[in-house]
Amino acid sequence: MSAILSADDLNDFISPGVACIKPVETLPLQQVKNTDNPYEVTTEDQLPTEPPPPAQISLTDCLACSGCVTSAETVLVSLQSHAEVLKSLDSSHSLSLDRLCRSSGSLNDDQTGERDGSMQGKIFVASVSPQVRASLAATYGTTEQEAGWMMEQLLSGPQGLATGGKHGSSFAWVIDTNAMREANLVLGADEVFESTSPPPSAPGEQASFETSPKKPILTSACPGWICYAEKTHPHVLPHLSRLKSPQALTGTLLKTVLSKALHINPDQIFHLAIMPCFDKKLEASREELTDIYWQPQPTTPITPREAPPVRDVDCVITAREVLMLAESRSISFPSLSRRPLPLSTRVPFPDAKLDAFLFPQNQTPGRRRLSNRHDRQPQTPAAGTSGGYLYQILLTQHSLYPGSTIHTARGRNADVVDYTLVRGEETIFRAARYYGFRNIQNLVRKLKPLKKSRMPGGKMVGARKPTTAAGAGGDYAYVEVMACPGGCTNGGGQIKVEDVGALQEGVYADEEENGSGSSSRKKKGQKEWLSMVDEAYYPMSSSSSSSSNEEDEEKEQQRRTTGDDVLKSPVEDPSIRHDENDDDNDENNPIMINGISPQFIKSILTHWSRITGIDLKKLVYTSYRNVESEVGKGGGGGGGQGRETERVVEMASKIGGGW
């Protein structure tokens, strides 16, 4: 597929190209068995009729070329599937966490215990995104929290995956990615605050965590958007946030802390991420997200490393693949208990402070003080469906300028929104939200640098200066970019509206047998279905729901469906408040922004770096690369690129090109 997107792609998702420019290795052809009689003649009808084995291409190979831009939905992902999860569970038994925790001691003892390479087995850990829970909740008519408990029952419960398989292995911990999402939000706000002082990197330069991004900073949590930028628009790489995504941060945390605390090798920790997007499989395959980028440098010279890099995320599956995982073990997912596992069966995370941070809902009143927080706050419609990166930055900027308000204006469609922080007549901060590849193309064109015209005496030419959706001039400071229209709740791996009827058929059949079924069921449209998923993504408890909250949610839904041209939404003070209940905590931080304490998050990150002995930059930052096309390169010595360029110019001249 050409790097130029076609306007005929009505679904706004990018499909892979028909041909791949990278040669694909196939398995050796099956040879005909030799017989003892050298004179035996084999007729044509006796020849093997098996087709040749299909060609396979790994995700790493897919990232290594620029022959196509892919959403990974139809890429062969043989190493990233529910079958790979079952294979890993069957290939290794679960290590005894009780014995490991007793023998390893505490991470706070500054110990440097040796890893026991002879210990066989693995620790299985899963991380789940809230968008996946929302998709499952909307499918089975439950809440996002209950859907999370159902997944916990499947992955770790006695009636889940542990009931089958060779070793009866299951997952030791099921972690909510909202924990590391909060860390990403705080770091992202700091990155925006600090982005104007350091000198920016040059256009097209390989971006690393040693350089700060330049304005406007673009979100880096969407792997489909990152893959697209690396392959087709290298001029935007200096704008990308250097922060790892919540999925990658969770993987790095698990591999670094558990290997250090339990004295095991990182490859003995199997991390499964359950995400709404197929592109997350591509992200997990990036070389930048492996242990070679965060392992401490040895003090003495060693022989070159022979073992392959260990991924921070071993496997990624989506909401639909969760149901396949359950079906493969003959488990009815909707029949799983919608209650949490008993605390008596839970093994605490090896570090007490991280345990309170990752599992605040499972803490006793005494240990809850370690978390310096209340239970994790639910998402609000104002934050959007993709994690609230822009929303957190807006609230942080708002806290720095008391008396300021945020004005919101819709762009050319509901997936483009412009935000302006103003105080009186002064414009303080500009930001925007761009969802969907059509809108992203408009954004990257605006960011394209000027270049000198090839015509004699020509002026500098290029894209016009970025403007806001309202039409006023001025640069954005931050843009939240997501590849999927509508955000992450509409990810390619989510349960689709056409699948809902078949999945709910068995549930409604059981309800009708019990006399509790509803006869008012009707087929839902795509917009109605996405609204149900969004509603599940924004859980509102009975104690916190009020008439004003309902009105805000109704206005937000109306804006997304009808597209009101201009909204003025000043940020309310309760989002930025003083927490009067945390006076006795170690970190005396009274400021809470959107239910998150920045000082507490920073203390968690500092603690993580200290107990692992790894520089925090290596833990939380990543890098990007300019993926150059291999088309026209090589083939008969040097000068291939030049000859290819000359040939293209000649063809353009013949057809009337204005070269």
Side-chain angles (χ1 to χ4, degrees):
M1 175 179 174
S2 171
I4 302 176
L5 303 183
S6 170
D8 296 331
D9 297 331
L10 298 180
N11 59 5
D12 209 16
F13 290 96
I14 297 180
S15 299
V18 177
C20 179
I21 64 174
K22 186 177 180 66
V24 180
E25 296 180 0
T26 59
L27 299 175
L29 295 177
Q30 186 176 4
Q31 301 294 331
V32 180
K33 295 182 180 180
N34 294 329
T35 60
D36 295 336
N37 187 357
Y39 299 103
E40 181 178 351
V41 177
T42 303
T43 59
E44 190 177 43
D45 60 337
Q46 293 177 325
L47 290 175
T49 58
E50 294 181 342
Q56 293 187 357
I57 180 169
S58 68
L59 293 175
T60 303
D61 292 333
C62 188
L63 285 174
C65 76
S66 60
C68 64
V69 179
T70 174
S71 68
E73 188 164 345
T74 54
V75 173
L76 300 176
V77 288
S78 59
L79 297 180
Q80 300 273 338
S81 65
H82 71 285
E84 178 65 17
V85 178
L86 297 175
K87 179 181 177 182
S88 300
L89 290 172
D90 292 341
S91 62
S92 301
H93 64 81
S94 299
L95 290 173
S96 174
L97 292 178
D98 290 330
R99 184 169 65 88
L100 285 173
C101 292
R102 286 195 303 268
S103 61
S104 59
S106 173
L107 268 173
N108 297 321
D109 297 336
D110 295 330
Q111 58 185 359
T112 56
E114 297 294 331
R115 291 175 179 169
D116 186 3
S118 62
M119 186 175 299
Q120 302 297 321
K122 289 185 178 182
I123 295 176
F124 298 93
V125 190
S127 58
V128 184
S129 75
Q131 291 87 355
V132 170
R133 295 193 295 267
S135 183
L136 293 170
T139 301
Y140 295 111
T142 183
T143 65
E144 186 239 354
Q145 184 181 50
E146 290 181 345
W149 288 335
M150 295 167 69
M151 297 183 68
E152 191 177 41
Q153 294 282 354
L154 172 67
L155 299 171
S156 304
Q159 304 302 320
L161 299 178
T163 58
K166 183 177 179 181
H167 302 287
S169 300
S170 61
F171 288 80
W173 294 289
V174 179
I175 297 174
D176 184 358
T177 59
N178 275 329
M180 299 311 293
R181 179 188 62 85
E182 292 182 355
N184 187 291
L185 295 181
V186 173
L187 291 171
D190 288 347
E191 188 179 45
V192 171
F193 181 78
E194 299 170 358
S195 64
T196 55
S197 53
S201 53
E205 179 182 341
Q206 179 167 326
S208 67
F209 58 75
E210 298 297 337
T211 59
S212 298
K214 67 177 185 179
K215 294 173 56 179
I217 296 180
L218 308 178
T219 316
S220 60
C222 175
W225 149 241
I226 296 301
C227 184
Y228 172 66
E230 288 181 325
K231 293 182 177 182
T232 63
H233 298 289
H235 66 273
V236 306
L237 298 185
H239 295 275
L240 294 177
S241 170
R242 304 294 180 258
L243 291 172
K244 295 180 180 179
S245 69
Q247 169 185 295
L249 280 176
T250 304
T252 306
L253 176 76
L254 293 173
K255 293 295 179 87
T256 54
V257 173
L258 292 179
S259 61
K260 176 78 171 181
L262 304 179
H263 305 158
I264 58 178
N265 295 319
D267 59 0
Q268 291 183 276
I269 304 164
F270 182 86
H271 175 210
L272 168 68
I274 305 178
M275 295 289 143
C277 177
F278 283 104
D279 287 330
K280 285 295 183 179
K281 300 172 186 282
L282 291 172
E283 176 186 310
S285 303
R286 294 181 67 93
E287 183 183 357
E288 294 86 351
L289 302 178
T290 58
D291 67 328
I292 61 176
Y293 280 80
W294 52 256
Q295 285 279 21
Q297 295 295 330
T299 56
T300 58
I302 57 173
T303 57
R305 173 171 175 161
E306 297 181 357
V310 179
R311 294 177 180 175
D312 294 340
V313 181
D314 296 278
C315 186
V316 177
I317 62 175
T318 62
R320 282 186 276 177
E321 291 174 301
V322 168
L323 303 181
M324 297 178 188
L325 183 66
E327 185 179 359
S328 299
R329 287 283 171 89
S330 301
I331 299 172
S332 173
F333 186 84
S335 300
L336 292 170
S337 173
R338 304 186 181 187
R339 303 297 303 167
L341 293 172
L343 289 179
S344 58
T345 63
R346 178 180 177 272
V347 177
F349 205 71
D351 181 80
K353 189 168 186 176
L354 291 178
D355 183 65
F357 171 62
L358 296 173
F359 307 99
Q361 73 281 3
N362 293 333
Q363 305 305 312
T364 61
R367 292 195 66 184
R368 186 180 291 271
R369 295 180 179 179
L370 291 171
S371 67
N372 192 29
R373 62 190 301 126
H374 303 293
D375 287 340
R376 191 155 285 120
Q377 298 297 313
Q379 291 291 292
T380 61
T385 61
S386 302
Y389 302 98
L390 173 61
Y391 185 63
Q392 182 73 19
I393 290 172
L394 288 173
L395 292 181
T396 302
Q397 292 291 322
H398 174 71
S399 68
L400 300 175
Y401 298 93
S404 60
T405 58
I406 296 178
H407 292 195
T408 305
R410 179 192 159 179
R412 60 190 302 171
N413 54 61
D415 282 331
V416 178
V417 185
D418 179 77
Y419 300 87
T420 307
L421 181 68
V422 298
R423 184 168 57 181
E425 299 297 328
E426 179 187 6
T427 298
I428 301 173
F429 186 82
R430 293 187 187 275
R433 176 185 297 168
Y434 277 73
Y435 288 175
F437 271 107
R438 284 205 187 107
N439 296 321
I440 290 176
Q441 290 178 87
N442 294 328
L443 174 66
V444 297
R445 279 197 293 265
K446 295 175 183 178
L447 295 176
K448 193 171 184 179
L450 298 176
K451 61 181 179 180
K452 189 175 182 179
S453 173
R454 297 183 181 182
M455 301 297 295
K459 299 180 180 180
M460 300 294 289
V461 296
R464 61 184 182 273
K465 190 176 182 180
T467 58
T468 64
D475 294 335
Y476 294 133
Y478 185 85
V479 183
E480 182 176 287
V481 183
M482 298 291 164
C484 294
C488 293
T489 52
N490 189 29
Q494 298 283 75
I495 298 172
K496 303 303 179 183
V497 63
E498 55 266 20
D499 302 328
V500 175
L503 293 173
Q504 291 180 344
E505 183 177 355
V507 178
Y508 283 115
D510 294 340
E511 291 179 354
E512 290 172 0
E513 288 181 3
N514 299 330
S516 59
S518 174
S519 59
S520 61
R521 282 192 295 134
K522 63 179 182 179
K523 188 176 181 180
K524 300 178 179 62
Q526 179 68 14
K527 289 185 177 180
E528 183 182 0
W529 169 246
L530 291 179
S531 297
M532 294 178 60
V533 178
D534 290 349
E535 183 180 354
Y537 180 72
Y538 303 126
M540 293 290 183
S541 61
S542 57
S543 59
S544 62
S545 296
S546 61
S547 58
S548 60
N549 289 335
E550 293 175 357
E551 291 176 1
D552 291 341
E553 187 172 3
E554 183 178 352
K555 289 179 180 179
E556 174 67 15
Q557 183 63 31
Q558 181 182 5
R559 184 193 66 78
R560 295 188 62 182
T561 55
T562 62
D564 293 342
D565 290 335
V566 179
L567 290 176
K568 293 187 177 180
S569 305
V571 178
E572 298 181 357
D573 293 335
S575 297
I576 306 170
R577 62 182 176 82
H578 294 270
D579 196 339
E580 301 175 353
N581 298 324
D582 291 335
D583 295 336
D584 57 345
N585 287 312
D586 296 334
E587 290 85 3
N588 185 20
N589 177 34
I591 302 299
M592 300 285 288
I593 299 178
N594 192 27
I596 301 172
S597 167
Q599 185 171 339
F600 167 68
I601 294 295
K602 293 176 184 178
S603 71
I604 288 290
L605 296 173
T606 302
H607 177 73
W608 175 19
S609 176
R610 182 181 64 82
I611 63 177
T612 57
I614 305 174
D615 182 30
L616 184 60
K617 289 184 177 180
K618 291 186 176 182
L619 295 173
V620 301
Y621 292 129
T622 186
S623 60
Y624 313 101
R625 56 184 181 268
N626 180 4
V627 182
E628 297 182 0
S629 174
E630 298 178 1
V631 176
K633 294 184 179 180
Q641 179 73 23
R643 287 195 300 270
E644 182 70 16
T645 302
E646 293 175 1
R647 186 179 66 85
V648 173
V649 173
E650 182 181 358
M651 292 174 59
S653 301
K654 290 181 179 180
I655 63 175
W659 286 51

